[in-house]
Amino acid sequence: MTVSSAPGKVYLFGEHAVVYGEPAVPCAIERRATVEVVPREDDHVRVRADDLSLNGFTVEYEGRTGDDPDVDVPRPLVEAAMGYIDAAVRQARAAAEAPAAGFDITVRSEIPLGGGLGSSAAVVVAGIDAATRALGEPLEKRELADRAYRAEFEVQDGQASRADTFCSTMGGAVRVEGDDCRTIEAPNLPFVIGFDGGAGETGELVSGVRELRERYDFAAETLATIGDVVRNGEALLSEAIPETDPSPELLADLGDLMDFNHGLLSALGVSARSLDEMVWAAREAGAHGAKLTGAGGGGCIVALDRTPESRTALEFTPGCQRAFRAELATEGVRVEEA
Ligand code: MEV
């Protein structure tokens, strides 16, 4: 049996615009997906996925992927999760040159499905890592990130950047611009996350932004402006001392850029009332800045606040189902059991 885990992430800046070649800065957080893989004698793949959400609902799914799962969560989310697992299996088989390899797979995750915290990327990264190790063909991290990106690209009909999968593989803060992916130094950013209990459909949200971009020059300019926000944010991070608590001035400046980034994402139609309410609750409680994270449409916001105030305010916000603090995960994918 091999077990690997990989972290989820928040976007400090740059989701959606990254799909069009602008830079983005996602940061891995200490919420992990764990995938256990046991090779089988035949070529079947059996998947068991428990606790694929933060708030404790359980997905019981057993059988060849593609069978009808008996679940009490929205079907599209389960189908999406199974699609990612299938794609991860195809990548692992290809990487190990074992096209008929069969597996029993168990997935556990502390990351809400489709909530903007990179649940699919974490499952794909941990899944490919565990499966290739199970076949005796472990991958070097850059190749793993590339394979995971290809899996997401396939499931999301070509509408994926490398940001989520690279961040989940490497951990820490990363910078992604097209194919150029790097890890960057970052101070200990005090992330607070609010989760509305829902999820957005990444493919649809990315398509919606694409249509706006094709239709209106100002939508294309909005995406380019997000790129400018990211470059300003990167400049701020590069002046900070890594792995220390950031100064109040730095938090204020990063927060202003997060607020700006949220406004631009709202203009592109990917926010939601629940996300805006959580963003405002955090800001009014004194957060330095707050924005939606990930594809949007529902799911999570991320705020910067060292005090407990934003979290408390989010807990009392009607649209917020759960609020928590998230540490930067300095470790990306890791072997939990060899
Ligand atoms: C989704 O987590 C982030 C998007 O930018 C899509 C992507 O980068 O693949 C919306």
Side-chain angles (χ1 to χ4, degrees), residues 9 11 15-16 18-19 160-161 164 206 294-295:
K9 56 105 224 333
Y11 272 88
E15 55 273 87
H16 283 288
V18 69
V19 176
S161 73
D164 291 23
V206 174

PDB file of all heavy atoms in Angstrom, residues 9 11 15-16 18-19 160-161 164 206 294-295, ligand 1:
ATOM      1  N   LYS A   9      -5.005  24.944  -1.553  1.00  0.00           N
ATOM      2  CA  LYS A   9      -4.351  26.243  -1.726  1.00  0.00           C
ATOM      3  C   LYS A   9      -5.393  27.369  -1.709  1.00  0.00           C
ATOM      4  O   LYS A   9      -6.595  27.131  -1.884  1.00  0.00           O
ATOM      5  CB  LYS A   9      -3.553  26.296  -3.040  1.00  0.00           C
ATOM      6  CG  LYS A   9      -4.379  25.991  -4.298  1.00  0.00           C
ATOM      7  CD  LYS A   9      -4.694  27.209  -5.100  1.00  0.00           C
ATOM      8  CE  LYS A   9      -6.078  27.342  -5.617  1.00  0.00           C
ATOM      9  NZ  LYS A   9      -6.982  26.325  -5.916  1.00  0.00           N
ATOM     10  N   TYR A  11      -5.696  31.362  -3.503  1.00  0.00           N
ATOM     11  CA  TYR A  11      -5.046  32.317  -4.415  1.00  0.00           C
ATOM     12  C   TYR A  11      -4.884  33.631  -3.674  1.00  0.00           C
ATOM     13  O   TYR A  11      -5.890  34.270  -3.333  1.00  0.00           O
ATOM     14  CB  TYR A  11      -5.914  32.567  -5.649  1.00  0.00           C
ATOM     15  CG  TYR A  11      -5.681  31.591  -6.772  1.00  0.00           C
ATOM     16  CD1 TYR A  11      -6.387  30.405  -6.828  1.00  0.00           C
ATOM     17  CD2 TYR A  11      -4.758  31.865  -7.771  1.00  0.00           C
ATOM     18  CE1 TYR A  11      -6.179  29.510  -7.867  1.00  0.00           C
ATOM     19  CE2 TYR A  11      -4.540  30.972  -8.806  1.00  0.00           C
ATOM     20  CZ  TYR A  11      -5.258  29.797  -8.848  1.00  0.00           C
ATOM     21  OH  TYR A  11      -5.048  28.912  -9.868  1.00  0.00           O
ATOM     22  N   GLU A  15      -6.317  34.334  -9.850  1.00  0.00           N
ATOM     23  CA  GLU A  15      -7.123  33.295 -10.518  1.00  0.00           C
ATOM     24  C   GLU A  15      -7.847  33.889 -11.728  1.00  0.00           C
ATOM     25  O   GLU A  15      -8.048  35.101 -11.818  1.00  0.00           O
ATOM     26  CB  GLU A  15      -8.117  32.627  -9.553  1.00  0.00           C
ATOM     27  CG  GLU A  15      -9.056  33.539  -8.815  1.00  0.00           C
ATOM     28  CD  GLU A  15      -8.438  34.047  -7.531  1.00  0.00           C
ATOM     29  OE1 GLU A  15      -7.747  35.089  -7.621  1.00  0.00           O
ATOM     30  OE2 GLU A  15      -8.654  33.466  -6.459  1.00  0.00           O
ATOM     31  N   HIS A  16      -8.235  33.063 -12.604  1.00  0.00           N
ATOM     32  CA  HIS A  16      -8.880  33.385 -13.890  1.00  0.00           C
ATOM     33  C   HIS A  16      -7.905  34.069 -14.861  1.00  0.00           C
ATOM     34  O   HIS A  16      -7.720  33.579 -15.977  1.00  0.00           O
ATOM     35  CB  HIS A  16     -10.163  34.223 -13.719  1.00  0.00           C
ATOM     36  CG  HIS A  16     -11.315  33.377 -13.263  1.00  0.00           C
ATOM     37  ND1 HIS A  16     -11.937  32.476 -14.093  1.00  0.00           N
ATOM     38  CD2 HIS A  16     -11.925  33.262 -12.055  1.00  0.00           C
ATOM     39  CE1 HIS A  16     -12.902  31.854 -13.420  1.00  0.00           C
ATOM     40  NE2 HIS A  16     -12.901  32.310 -12.177  1.00  0.00           N
ATOM     41  N   VAL A  18      -4.835  33.994 -14.820  1.00  0.00           N
ATOM     42  CA  VAL A  18      -3.726  33.063 -15.073  1.00  0.00           C
ATOM     43  C   VAL A  18      -4.024  32.161 -16.282  1.00  0.00           C
ATOM     44  O   VAL A  18      -3.114  31.709 -16.975  1.00  0.00           O
ATOM     45  CB  VAL A  18      -3.399  32.240 -13.794  1.00  0.00           C
ATOM     46  CG1 VAL A  18      -4.504  31.245 -13.451  1.00  0.00           C
ATOM     47  CG2 VAL A  18      -2.062  31.529 -13.898  1.00  0.00           C
ATOM     48  N   VAL A  19      -5.301  31.930 -16.549  1.00  0.00           N
ATOM     49  CA  VAL A  19      -5.684  31.091 -17.690  1.00  0.00           C
ATOM     50  C   VAL A  19      -5.255  31.768 -19.010  1.00  0.00           C
ATOM     51  O   VAL A  19      -5.024  31.107 -20.014  1.00  0.00           O
ATOM     52  CB  VAL A  19      -7.217  30.827 -17.666  1.00  0.00           C
ATOM     53  CG1 VAL A  19      -7.686  30.049 -18.887  1.00  0.00           C
ATOM     54  CG2 VAL A  19      -7.616  30.091 -16.386  1.00  0.00           C
ATOM     55  N   ALA A 160      -7.583  24.953 -18.028  1.00  0.00           N
ATOM     56  CA  ALA A 160      -6.880  24.891 -16.744  1.00  0.00           C
ATOM     57  C   ALA A 160      -5.510  25.528 -16.887  1.00  0.00           C
ATOM     58  O   ALA A 160      -4.879  25.410 -17.932  1.00  0.00           O
ATOM     59  CB  ALA A 160      -6.726  23.438 -16.296  1.00  0.00           C
ATOM     60  N   SER A 161      -5.086  26.207 -15.839  1.00  0.00           N
ATOM     61  CA  SER A 161      -3.703  26.687 -15.806  1.00  0.00           C
ATOM     62  C   SER A 161      -2.894  25.679 -14.987  1.00  0.00           C
ATOM     63  O   SER A 161      -3.455  24.744 -14.408  1.00  0.00           O
ATOM     64  CB  SER A 161      -3.643  28.064 -15.144  1.00  0.00           C
ATOM     65  OG  SER A 161      -3.843  27.913 -13.753  1.00  0.00           O
ATOM     66  N   ASP A 164      -2.866  25.546  -9.894  1.00  0.00           N
ATOM     67  CA  ASP A 164      -3.349  24.721  -8.769  1.00  0.00           C
ATOM     68  C   ASP A 164      -2.464  23.492  -8.561  1.00  0.00           C
ATOM     69  O   ASP A 164      -2.096  23.149  -7.432  1.00  0.00           O
ATOM     70  CB  ASP A 164      -4.782  24.240  -9.024  1.00  0.00           C
ATOM     71  CG  ASP A 164      -5.795  25.365  -8.984  1.00  0.00           C
ATOM     72  OD1 ASP A 164      -5.397  26.527  -9.189  1.00  0.00           O
ATOM     73  OD2 ASP A 164      -6.987  25.087  -8.763  1.00  0.00           O
ATOM     74  N   VAL A 206     -14.975  29.443 -15.923  1.00  0.00           N
ATOM     75  CA  VAL A 206     -13.887  29.821 -16.829  1.00  0.00           C
ATOM     76  C   VAL A 206     -14.460  30.144 -18.213  1.00  0.00           C
ATOM     77  O   VAL A 206     -14.058  31.124 -18.849  1.00  0.00           O
ATOM     78  CB  VAL A 206     -12.802  28.712 -16.885  1.00  0.00           C
ATOM     79  CG1 VAL A 206     -11.739  29.026 -17.935  1.00  0.00           C
ATOM     80  CG2 VAL A 206     -12.136  28.545 -15.528  1.00  0.00           C
ATOM     81  N   GLY A 294     -10.067  31.020  -5.953  1.00  0.00           N
ATOM     82  CA  GLY A 294     -10.391  29.935  -6.889  1.00  0.00           C
ATOM     83  C   GLY A 294     -11.343  30.422  -7.966  1.00  0.00           C
ATOM     84  O   GLY A 294     -11.417  31.615  -8.276  1.00  0.00           O
ATOM     85  N   ALA A 295     -12.105  29.489  -8.500  1.00  0.00           N
ATOM     86  CA  ALA A 295     -12.954  29.820  -9.645  1.00  0.00           C
ATOM     87  C   ALA A 295     -14.118  30.728  -9.272  1.00  0.00           C
ATOM     88  O   ALA A 295     -14.636  31.462 -10.104  1.00  0.00           O
ATOM     89  CB  ALA A 295     -13.470  28.540 -10.295  1.00  0.00           C
TER      90      ALA A 295
HETATM   91  C1  MEV B   1      -9.390  27.545 -10.336  1.00  0.00           C
HETATM   92  O1  MEV B   1      -8.925  27.053  -9.076  1.00  0.00           O
HETATM   93  C2  MEV B   1      -8.486  28.645 -10.818  1.00  0.00           C
HETATM   94  C3  MEV B   1      -8.792  29.164 -12.220  1.00  0.00           C
HETATM   95  O2  MEV B   1      -7.843  30.210 -12.479  1.00  0.00           O
HETATM   96  C4  MEV B   1      -8.686  28.071 -13.268  1.00  0.00           C
HETATM   97  C5  MEV B   1      -7.249  27.598 -13.449  1.00  0.00           C
HETATM   98  O3  MEV B   1      -6.300  28.344 -13.180  1.00  0.00           O
HETATM   99  O4  MEV B   1      -7.081  26.461 -13.925  1.00  0.00           O
HETATM  100  C6  MEV B   1     -10.183  29.776 -12.289  1.00  0.00           C
END
